[in-house]
Amino acid sequence: MITAKDLNKPTPIIAGKQLNTYQQNSNIKSTIKALQNGEFILINEFFNDGLQLLAELQKECNSKVLNLSFKEQQANRDKYQKLSNLILLEIVDHQLSAKKSPHIGWLSKLYPDNGRFMLTFPQIQGLNSAWQWFEKGIALPVIRNKIKPYYGTYFPTRFEHLILFENFLNYYKGPKKTAIDVGIGCGVLSLQMINHKFQKVFATDINPNAIFGLQESMSDTKLSRKIELDCANLFGKWSKQTELIVFNPPWLPETRTLENLDKAMYYNETLFEDFFHHAKKRLLPNGQIVLIFSNLAQITKMTNVNPIEKELDNGDRFKLISCHKKQVKAASAKTKRDQHWRDLEEVELWVLQHNDN
């Protein structure tokens, strides 16, 4: 059972010296220079001062972003992230001390014993956005009720892959006694399976926030008896064979040390080999594996290898039953990033079975 003390959360910052501050009338150039020199900047007057400083910093970092490749844009975002995380806000008694700051319920939930500390401005923004999503809920096209993702839990912002999975379930003719959802995240794939009359879903996630959030939301409802959770990598403690294994893995190969939520976005070099090795043991003879993936890594030239195709080319564990693809919706015209590759992006749903040869 995961408890609140197990959750991933930003580490409180305790300043050991007087910090430079930024207000609306501060010199922006000298402030950005201080950030580039690795100095912390405290926002201690108005919350909006921090937003203004971030906007100016973004402008400075993005001056040439439209001419950059995907990898260069990623490096540019890393640079912005590093500098923006030197901008601090103080929290006193679970409230932001800067004037006209938003109320963020996570501050009391995640830091019940911390009376006075600081977090970075981007961390505060992340906590605030997560609180709004949690409070208001998020509507998805494939389930009736809104989901309420807990802080630090991955949830989908695009839905093409969910629609592919819903279509798969509509035509699925196999048994529905059990299924395993590897990397449950916010729980949407498991909820889709329960809606399609699967009797039991055994689910894992390496992120304790995902498991804790689902524990809290399901509580003692009927769902808690239909979806069993384990905070663990890949299959965790679920060793019995099942009719259906579902896995929506990260879609991009890792290029740096991963933080918590990044593990939902980037895969390491052993993930797929480990998954297929263990899936072989846990899939019933006539069972199916469903993998939800994308060609994003190939079209952005991060790799020329599709790990599912690589597994099938080896040919000794699994064979392909079907592969369904769906074009990704074009990027919003409002986005400031150059996402021309979205014109070529497709999400993929791969269905595999044991190779009996």
Side-chain angles (χ1 to χ4, degrees), residues 24 129 177 233 329:
Q24 194 171 14
S129 296
K177 185 177 179 181
N233 187 40
K329 185 179 179 181

Side-chain angles (χ1 to χ4, degrees), residues 9-13 42 85 87-91 96 107 111 117-124 127:
K9 57 191 175 185
T11 302
I13 298 170
L42 177 65
N85 274 289
I87 304 171
L88 304 180
L89 280 165
E90 188 174 35
I91 295 97
L96 297 173
L107 295 175
Y111 306 97
F117 61 100
M118 287 180 288
L119 293 175
T120 73
F121 207 97
Q123 289 171 340
I124 290 296
L127 286 162

Side-chain angles (χ1 to χ4, degrees), residues 133-227:
W133 291 323
F134 180 77
E135 284 284 277
K136 298 175 183 177
I138 300 169
L140 300 176
V142 293
I143 54 176
R144 183 186 309 169
N145 297 326
K146 290 182 177 182
I147 62 167
K148 292 194 170 187
Y150 208 79
Y151 171 74
T153 300
Y154 168 80
F155 64 89
T157 56
R158 298 182 296 170
F159 312 128
E160 291 89 355
H161 63 296
L162 302 182
I163 294 170
L164 274 182
F165 187 55
E166 186 69 13
N167 291 339
F168 166 82
L169 292 172
N170 286 333
Y171 291 98
Y172 176 77
K173 302 300 181 184
K176 297 182 177 180
K177 185 177 179 181
T178 66
I180 296 177
D181 185 356
V182 177
I184 190 172
C186 67
V188 59
L189 299 183
S190 289
L191 292 172
Q192 286 179 262
M193 287 188 280
I194 294 300
N195 288 344
H196 281 268
K197 310 302 181 185
F198 275 80
Q199 297 176 36
K200 194 84 169 182
V201 176
F202 299 98
T204 66
D205 204 294
I206 198 171
N207 182 2
N209 297 44
I211 298 300
F212 183 80
L214 289 168
Q215 284 176 183
E216 292 280 290
S217 64
M218 294 192 303
S219 186
D220 57 355
T221 66
K222 291 181 180 179
L223 274 179
S224 66
R225 296 187 287 276
K226 293 182 178 181
I227 301 175

Side-chain angles (χ1 to χ4, degrees), residues 3 43 74 125 128 225 231 282 334:
T3 65
I43 304 300
Q74 185 180 53
Q125 288 181 302
N128 184 40
R225 296 187 287 276
C231 186
R282 287 166 173 79
K334 297 180 181 179

Side-chain angles (χ1 to χ4, degrees), residues 14-20 38-40 42 88 118:
I14 308 296
K17 61 179 182 179
Q18 187 74 24
L19 297 177
N20 294 327
E39 298 177 26
F40 285 114
L42 177 65
L88 304 180
M118 287 180 288

